[in-house]
Amino acid sequence: MTKLKPPVEKNTYYDVTFEDLTHDGAGVAKIEGFPIFVPNGLPDEKAKIKVIKVQKNYGFGRLIELYEKSKFRIDAPCPIYKECGGCQLQHLSYEGQLVAKHNQVQQVLSRIGKLQNIKVHPVLGMENPWRYRNKAQVPVADREGGLVAGFYQQRSHEIIDMEACLIQQEKNDQVVQTVKTICEKYGIQAYDEKNNKGTLRHIMARYGLVSGEIMVVLITRTKDLPHKSNIISDITAELPGVKSIVQNINPKQTNVIFGNETNVLWGEEYIYDTIGDIKFAISARSFYQVNPEQTKVLYDKALEYAELTGKETVIDAYCGIGTISLFLAQKAKKVYGVEIVPEAIEDAKRNAALNYIHNAEFAVGEAEVVIPKWYKDGVKADVIVVDPPRKGCDDALLQTILTMKPGKVVYVSCNPATLARDLRILEDGGYETTEVQPVDMFPHTVHCEAVAKLVLKPN
Ligand code: SAH
C-alpha cells in the first residue's frame, strides 16, 4: 500500500490564495487540495506563508507577507486585540464578518447536513456592533503600582490591565475601573494564583440595558473582606446606578471563577432587565444572555417560525431561565420548558411569576428523559423548540421528536456544525427545513447563532 505524502513541507514558504475562514477565524489556503490553516489570513487574499506544522490531512502556517488584501480587511479598532484573544475577527470589517458568517452557515449545512437547496437568509447583524456585552468578569492581580484588572494574555497566566473593552457596555468598564480604584485605596490584595493567597480574585459587573440597573460582584478567596463597609459606601457613592453588591467566595486554587457561597453585601439580590415585553430577575449566578438586543432579534425569529395562534401546546427543550418559553407563552395555549440546571429552572419559574405568566410549566431534568415522559402522560406538542448547547441535541431527543411528530420544530443553534448534523436526522425522519436565519449575537467573535424552521412533511 502506498502511503500518501502531504504535498507540503514544514518550514517551507508558499504563495497561496486564502479561500475560506475556519470556524475559529483562521484563513484556509489549499496547496494541491491540502488545507493549511493560517491565523490572520482572510478569504480572497494572496499571501506568502510559511508552513510550520504538517499533520496527516491538514497543516498550519504563518502569514509572512500579504500581496493582495481583502476589500474587507481593516485595522482592528481595539488596541489590545492581539494580546487579548477575546475577539477573533476585528481585522475583518463588520460587513465582511456578516458575509463570512453567512458563508459558514451555508457551507456547513450543505457539507455536513447535505442540505443543498436550503434557504439561508443574510445574517441579521447589529446596527452598532460595539459595546454590546452586559456582563464583565475581570481577573485582578497585584503589580508594583497597585492593582491591575483586565484579561489573561493569550496562552499565559499574565493579567494585562485594561481600561476599555470595545465590545463591553461602557458602564461595565466604568464599574470595573471604579471598583478597582476603591479596592486599591483600602489596600485590598489581589488573589495570587501561584501561592493561593490574597483576597480579590475577580470583579464582575452586570448591567441591565433597559433598566440601567447595575450589579457588582466581588469574587474573593476569603470570606473576610477588609474594610467591607468603606468599600460598600464608596461604591454606592461613586456609582449611582448600583442596586446590588454581592460577594462570592471561592477558596479553591482553580481557574474556575465562582465558588459555592454567595452573599449579598448591600442592596438587592437581583437586578432586573427587560427583553421585549418580558422582565427578568438576574442574580449574580443567573445565566442571562450577554447581548439582550440581539437576543430579542433571535427569539422574535423563533417565535415567528413557531407561527402560534394561541391554541398550541409548545415544548421548549433546553429552556435555561425560560427566556424563549416566556416569549412563546404570550402567544401559545401552554408551554412546557425543560432544563438540566435546577437553579435555571428556579429562575424560569420566578420570571414567569414576575410577568404574570401562568401557562408555562417548567421541569428540571434531561430533555431526552423528561420529554418522552410528558409524551407518555399524553402531552401532545404542536411545536417543539430546541436551543441546545454547542454539542447539539441528544440523539434520544431527536428520536423522541420523530415519534411525537409535532407539526413544527424550531431549532435555535449556537453551532452550525451540530445544527447541520441534527437537521439531517430530522430531514431523514420526515421533516423539511424550510428556512434558516443566522443572527449575529457576538459581533467581532467567530460565534454564529442561527434559527431553523422545520415542518413535518405530509406522508
Ligand atoms: N434558551 C435558553 C438558553 C439555552 S442554552 C435561554 O435563553 O436561557 C442551553 C441550555 O441547555 C443550558 O441552560 C444547559 O444547562 C441546558 N442543557 C444542557 N444539556 C441539557 C439536557 N440534556 N437537557 C436539558 N437541558 C440541557
Side-chain angles (χ1 to χ4, degrees), residues 287 289 295 299 316-324 338-341 344 365-368 387-389 391 394:
F287 171 84
Q289 293 280 357
T295 299
Y299 292 173
D316 180 12
Y318 309 93
C319 74
I321 61 162
T323 326
I324 302 182
V338 52
E339 157 65 45
I340 203 164
V341 175
E366 291 172 313
E368 59 273 22
D387 182 10
K391 65 174 195 238
D394 193 282

mmCIF file of all heavy atoms in Angstrom, residues 287 289 295 299 316-324 338-341 344 365-368 387-389 391 394, ligand 1:
data_model
loop_
_atom_site.group_PDB
_atom_site.id
_atom_site.type_symbol
_atom_site.label_atom_id
_atom_site.label_comp_id
_atom_site.label_asym_id
_atom_site.label_seq_id
_atom_site.Cartn_x
_atom_site.Cartn_y
_atom_site.Cartn_z
ATOM 1 N N PHE A 287 -27.781 32.587 34.690
ATOM 2 C CA PHE A 287 -27.462 32.699 33.277
ATOM 3 C C PHE A 287 -28.354 33.796 32.701
ATOM 4 O O PHE A 287 -29.529 33.870 33.008
ATOM 5 C CB PHE A 287 -27.742 31.369 32.566
ATOM 6 C CG PHE A 287 -27.638 31.487 31.070
ATOM 7 C CD1 PHE A 287 -26.408 31.394 30.449
ATOM 8 C CD2 PHE A 287 -28.761 31.738 30.292
ATOM 9 C CE1 PHE A 287 -26.304 31.551 29.079
ATOM 10 C CE2 PHE A 287 -28.667 31.897 28.917
ATOM 11 C CZ PHE A 287 -27.428 31.799 28.311
ATOM 12 N N GLN A 289 -28.589 36.035 28.790
ATOM 13 C CA GLN A 289 -27.939 36.291 27.506
ATOM 14 C C GLN A 289 -27.098 37.562 27.581
ATOM 15 O O GLN A 289 -27.557 38.567 28.125
ATOM 16 C CB GLN A 289 -28.996 36.438 26.416
ATOM 17 C CG GLN A 289 -29.760 35.148 26.137
ATOM 18 C CD GLN A 289 -28.991 34.197 25.239
ATOM 19 O OE1 GLN A 289 -27.901 34.499 24.757
ATOM 20 N NE2 GLN A 289 -29.552 33.023 25.019
ATOM 21 N N THR A 295 -30.596 39.148 21.334
ATOM 22 C CA THR A 295 -31.409 38.042 21.848
ATOM 23 C C THR A 295 -32.856 38.247 21.416
ATOM 24 O O THR A 295 -33.540 37.315 21.002
ATOM 25 C CB THR A 295 -31.335 38.002 23.387
ATOM 26 O OG1 THR A 295 -29.976 37.803 23.753
ATOM 27 C CG2 THR A 295 -32.165 36.869 23.951
ATOM 28 N N TYR A 299 -34.952 35.576 19.264
ATOM 29 C CA TYR A 299 -36.147 34.919 19.797
ATOM 30 C C TYR A 299 -37.414 35.394 19.088
ATOM 31 O O TYR A 299 -38.377 34.643 18.984
ATOM 32 C CB TYR A 299 -36.223 35.122 21.312
ATOM 33 C CG TYR A 299 -35.115 34.369 22.046
ATOM 34 C CD1 TYR A 299 -34.906 34.536 23.400
ATOM 35 C CD2 TYR A 299 -34.283 33.475 21.369
ATOM 36 C CE1 TYR A 299 -33.891 33.858 24.071
ATOM 37 C CE2 TYR A 299 -33.266 32.799 22.028
ATOM 38 C CZ TYR A 299 -33.082 32.998 23.377
ATOM 39 O OH TYR A 299 -32.083 32.318 24.031
ATOM 40 N N ASP A 316 -40.386 23.668 25.070
ATOM 41 C CA ASP A 316 -39.112 24.362 24.914
ATOM 42 C C ASP A 316 -38.050 23.504 25.602
ATOM 43 O O ASP A 316 -37.942 23.491 26.824
ATOM 44 C CB ASP A 316 -39.220 25.764 25.561
ATOM 45 C CG ASP A 316 -37.930 26.571 25.448
ATOM 46 O OD1 ASP A 316 -37.029 26.175 24.686
ATOM 47 O OD2 ASP A 316 -37.838 27.611 26.138
ATOM 48 N N ALA A 317 -37.316 22.744 24.793
ATOM 49 C CA ALA A 317 -36.274 21.870 25.342
ATOM 50 C C ALA A 317 -35.020 22.714 25.550
ATOM 51 O O ALA A 317 -34.773 23.614 24.762
ATOM 52 C CB ALA A 317 -35.985 20.738 24.379
ATOM 53 N N TYR A 318 -34.217 22.417 26.551
ATOM 54 C CA TYR A 318 -33.019 23.220 26.874
ATOM 55 C C TYR A 318 -33.439 24.671 27.166
ATOM 56 O O TYR A 318 -32.905 25.605 26.568
ATOM 57 C CB TYR A 318 -32.019 23.209 25.714
ATOM 58 C CG TYR A 318 -31.669 21.845 25.177
ATOM 59 C CD1 TYR A 318 -32.361 21.293 24.093
ATOM 60 C CD2 TYR A 318 -30.625 21.108 25.735
ATOM 61 C CE1 TYR A 318 -32.022 20.043 23.586
ATOM 62 C CE2 TYR A 318 -30.277 19.867 25.226
ATOM 63 C CZ TYR A 318 -30.979 19.342 24.159
ATOM 64 O OH TYR A 318 -30.639 18.112 23.638
ATOM 65 N N CYS A 319 -34.382 24.853 28.084
ATOM 66 C CA CYS A 319 -35.023 26.169 28.212
ATOM 67 C C CYS A 319 -34.248 27.175 29.049
ATOM 68 O O CYS A 319 -34.616 28.347 29.090
ATOM 69 C CB CYS A 319 -36.432 26.011 28.761
ATOM 70 S SG CYS A 319 -36.484 25.608 30.523
ATOM 71 N N GLY A 320 -33.155 26.753 29.730
ATOM 72 C CA GLY A 320 -32.390 27.718 30.533
ATOM 73 C C GLY A 320 -33.290 28.415 31.544
ATOM 74 O O GLY A 320 -34.087 27.783 32.237
ATOM 75 N N ILE A 321 -33.185 29.748 31.610
ATOM 76 C CA ILE A 321 -34.014 30.515 32.549
ATOM 77 C C ILE A 321 -35.387 30.846 31.949
ATOM 78 O O ILE A 321 -36.098 31.713 32.430
ATOM 79 C CB ILE A 321 -33.314 31.823 32.978
ATOM 80 C CG1 ILE A 321 -33.064 32.734 31.751
ATOM 81 C CG2 ILE A 321 -32.014 31.525 33.701
ATOM 82 C CD1 ILE A 321 -32.798 34.180 32.121
ATOM 83 N N GLY A 322 -35.721 30.159 30.869
ATOM 84 C CA GLY A 322 -37.059 30.285 30.306
ATOM 85 C C GLY A 322 -37.256 31.461 29.374
ATOM 86 O O GLY A 322 -38.398 31.850 29.105
ATOM 87 N N THR A 323 -36.173 32.002 28.868
ATOM 88 C CA THR A 323 -36.299 33.183 28.003
ATOM 89 C C THR A 323 -37.241 32.905 26.828
ATOM 90 O O THR A 323 -38.210 33.637 26.604
ATOM 91 C CB THR A 323 -34.922 33.616 27.453
ATOM 92 O OG1 THR A 323 -33.935 33.354 28.437
ATOM 93 C CG2 THR A 323 -34.902 35.086 27.099
ATOM 94 N N ILE A 324 -36.947 31.845 26.083
ATOM 95 C CA ILE A 324 -37.782 31.544 24.906
ATOM 96 C C ILE A 324 -39.173 31.108 25.354
ATOM 97 O O ILE A 324 -40.181 31.532 24.775
ATOM 98 C CB ILE A 324 -37.144 30.443 24.031
ATOM 99 C CG1 ILE A 324 -35.750 30.859 23.568
ATOM 100 C CG2 ILE A 324 -38.020 30.141 22.820
ATOM 101 C CD1 ILE A 324 -35.070 29.862 22.656
ATOM 102 N N VAL A 338 -38.039 22.514 29.723
ATOM 103 C CA VAL A 338 -37.215 21.559 30.478
ATOM 104 C C VAL A 338 -35.745 21.957 30.355
ATOM 105 O O VAL A 338 -35.291 22.406 29.307
ATOM 106 C CB VAL A 338 -37.444 20.090 30.033
ATOM 107 C CG1 VAL A 338 -37.292 19.932 28.533
ATOM 108 C CG2 VAL A 338 -36.520 19.142 30.778
ATOM 109 N N GLU A 339 -35.023 21.780 31.476
ATOM 110 C CA GLU A 339 -33.648 22.267 31.585
ATOM 111 C C GLU A 339 -32.951 21.461 32.676
ATOM 112 O O GLU A 339 -33.562 21.112 33.679
ATOM 113 C CB GLU A 339 -33.709 23.776 31.924
ATOM 114 C CG GLU A 339 -32.510 24.371 32.603
ATOM 115 C CD GLU A 339 -31.255 24.363 31.729
ATOM 116 O OE1 GLU A 339 -31.349 24.720 30.545
ATOM 117 O OE2 GLU A 339 -30.193 23.991 32.249
ATOM 118 N N ILE A 340 -31.643 21.223 32.468
ATOM 119 C CA ILE A 340 -30.916 20.318 33.366
ATOM 120 C C ILE A 340 -30.422 21.015 34.644
ATOM 121 O O ILE A 340 -30.201 20.356 35.659
ATOM 122 C CB ILE A 340 -29.751 19.673 32.567
ATOM 123 C CG1 ILE A 340 -29.297 18.373 33.184
ATOM 124 C CG2 ILE A 340 -28.587 20.610 32.409
ATOM 125 C CD1 ILE A 340 -28.462 17.555 32.213
ATOM 126 N N VAL A 341 -30.256 22.343 34.622
ATOM 127 C CA VAL A 341 -29.700 23.053 35.786
ATOM 128 C C VAL A 341 -30.837 23.532 36.703
ATOM 129 O O VAL A 341 -31.644 24.373 36.303
ATOM 130 C CB VAL A 341 -28.839 24.258 35.340
ATOM 131 C CG1 VAL A 341 -28.366 25.069 36.539
ATOM 132 C CG2 VAL A 341 -27.662 23.801 34.504
ATOM 133 N N ALA A 344 -31.484 27.297 37.178
ATOM 134 C CA ALA A 344 -32.046 27.974 35.999
ATOM 135 C C ALA A 344 -33.566 27.803 35.998
ATOM 136 O O ALA A 344 -34.305 28.739 35.670
ATOM 137 C CB ALA A 344 -31.432 27.406 34.716
ATOM 138 N N GLY A 365 -34.465 18.469 34.483
ATOM 139 C CA GLY A 365 -34.066 17.138 34.034
ATOM 140 C C GLY A 365 -33.470 17.201 32.646
ATOM 141 O O GLY A 365 -33.337 18.278 32.054
ATOM 142 N N GLU A 366 -33.104 16.017 32.156
ATOM 143 C CA GLU A 366 -32.567 15.945 30.793
ATOM 144 C C GLU A 366 -33.732 15.959 29.816
ATOM 145 O O GLU A 366 -34.698 15.191 29.967
ATOM 146 C CB GLU A 366 -31.768 14.661 30.606
ATOM 147 C CG GLU A 366 -30.466 14.649 31.393
ATOM 148 C CD GLU A 366 -29.794 13.295 31.335
ATOM 149 O OE1 GLU A 366 -30.491 12.285 31.549
ATOM 150 O OE2 GLU A 366 -28.588 13.253 31.065
ATOM 151 N N ALA A 367 -33.619 16.818 28.807
ATOM 152 C CA ALA A 367 -34.693 16.937 27.817
ATOM 153 C C ALA A 367 -35.053 15.562 27.248
ATOM 154 O O ALA A 367 -36.228 15.229 27.086
ATOM 155 C CB ALA A 367 -34.258 17.884 26.706
ATOM 156 N N GLU A 368 -33.992 14.754 26.993
ATOM 157 C CA GLU A 368 -34.232 13.462 26.339
ATOM 158 C C GLU A 368 -34.921 12.452 27.263
ATOM 159 O O GLU A 368 -35.407 11.425 26.813
ATOM 160 C CB GLU A 368 -32.910 12.897 25.771
ATOM 161 C CG GLU A 368 -31.784 12.664 26.764
ATOM 162 C CD GLU A 368 -30.911 13.907 27.008
ATOM 163 O OE1 GLU A 368 -31.385 15.033 26.762
ATOM 164 O OE2 GLU A 368 -29.778 13.728 27.474
ATOM 165 N N ASP A 387 -33.011 24.582 21.893
ATOM 166 C CA ASP A 387 -31.909 25.565 21.922
ATOM 167 C C ASP A 387 -30.761 24.920 22.691
ATOM 168 O O ASP A 387 -30.421 25.330 23.794
ATOM 169 C CB ASP A 387 -32.399 26.853 22.614
ATOM 170 C CG ASP A 387 -31.322 27.942 22.645
ATOM 171 O OD1 ASP A 387 -30.281 27.785 21.988
ATOM 172 O OD2 ASP A 387 -31.546 28.967 23.333
ATOM 173 N N PRO A 388 -30.150 23.868 22.097
ATOM 174 C CA PRO A 388 -29.170 23.072 22.839
ATOM 175 C C PRO A 388 -27.817 23.769 22.959
ATOM 176 O O PRO A 388 -27.557 24.727 22.238
ATOM 177 C CB PRO A 388 -29.035 21.811 21.980
ATOM 178 C CG PRO A 388 -29.298 22.277 20.593
ATOM 179 C CD PRO A 388 -30.330 23.373 20.720
ATOM 180 N N PRO A 389 -26.944 23.264 23.866
ATOM 181 C CA PRO A 389 -25.561 23.751 23.913
ATOM 182 C C PRO A 389 -24.804 23.364 22.637
ATOM 183 O O PRO A 389 -25.364 22.719 21.756
ATOM 184 C CB PRO A 389 -24.981 23.065 25.152
ATOM 185 C CG PRO A 389 -25.901 21.967 25.499
ATOM 186 C CD PRO A 389 -27.217 22.245 24.876
ATOM 187 N N LYS A 391 -22.864 21.137 21.654
ATOM 188 C CA LYS A 391 -22.790 19.763 21.145
ATOM 189 C C LYS A 391 -24.079 19.325 20.453
ATOM 190 O O LYS A 391 -24.164 18.220 19.904
ATOM 191 C CB LYS A 391 -22.383 18.796 22.246
ATOM 192 C CG LYS A 391 -23.394 18.671 23.354
ATOM 193 C CD LYS A 391 -22.936 17.575 24.317
ATOM 194 C CE LYS A 391 -24.087 17.183 25.194
ATOM 195 N NZ LYS A 391 -24.027 17.257 26.558
ATOM 196 N N ASP A 394 -29.247 15.729 21.928
ATOM 197 C CA ASP A 394 -29.010 14.315 22.193
ATOM 198 C C ASP A 394 -29.827 13.502 21.183
ATOM 199 O O ASP A 394 -30.960 13.858 20.861
ATOM 200 C CB ASP A 394 -29.487 14.010 23.618
ATOM 201 C CG ASP A 394 -29.010 12.669 24.076
ATOM 202 O OD1 ASP A 394 -29.608 11.644 23.658
ATOM 203 O OD2 ASP A 394 -28.039 12.628 24.854
HETATM 204 N N1 SAH B 1 -32.815 29.148 25.760
HETATM 205 C C1 SAH B 1 -32.040 29.317 26.947
HETATM 206 C C2 SAH B 1 -30.553 29.017 26.788
HETATM 207 C C3 SAH B 1 -30.221 27.693 26.260
HETATM 208 S S1 SAH B 1 -28.512 27.330 26.422
HETATM 209 C C4 SAH B 1 -32.153 30.733 27.451
HETATM 210 O O1 SAH B 1 -32.335 31.631 26.659
HETATM 211 O O2 SAH B 1 -32.000 30.934 28.640
HETATM 212 C C5 SAH B 1 -28.598 25.581 26.554
HETATM 213 C C6 SAH B 1 -29.147 25.075 27.865
HETATM 214 O O3 SAH B 1 -29.269 23.667 27.804
HETATM 215 C C7 SAH B 1 -28.271 25.369 29.071
HETATM 216 O O4 SAH B 1 -29.040 26.087 30.008
HETATM 217 C C8 SAH B 1 -27.894 23.972 29.611
HETATM 218 O O5 SAH B 1 -27.843 23.936 31.009
HETATM 219 C C9 SAH B 1 -29.027 23.131 29.099
HETATM 220 N N2 SAH B 1 -28.788 21.680 28.916
HETATM 221 C C10 SAH B 1 -27.656 21.043 28.545
HETATM 222 N N3 SAH B 1 -27.884 19.724 28.372
HETATM 223 C C11 SAH B 1 -29.197 19.509 28.629
HETATM 224 C C12 SAH B 1 -30.028 18.350 28.598
HETATM 225 N N4 SAH B 1 -29.551 17.156 28.275
HETATM 226 N N5 SAH B 1 -31.345 18.509 28.890
HETATM 227 C C13 SAH B 1 -31.844 19.724 29.215
HETATM 228 N N6 SAH B 1 -31.098 20.843 29.260
HETATM 229 C C14 SAH B 1 -29.787 20.747 28.974
#
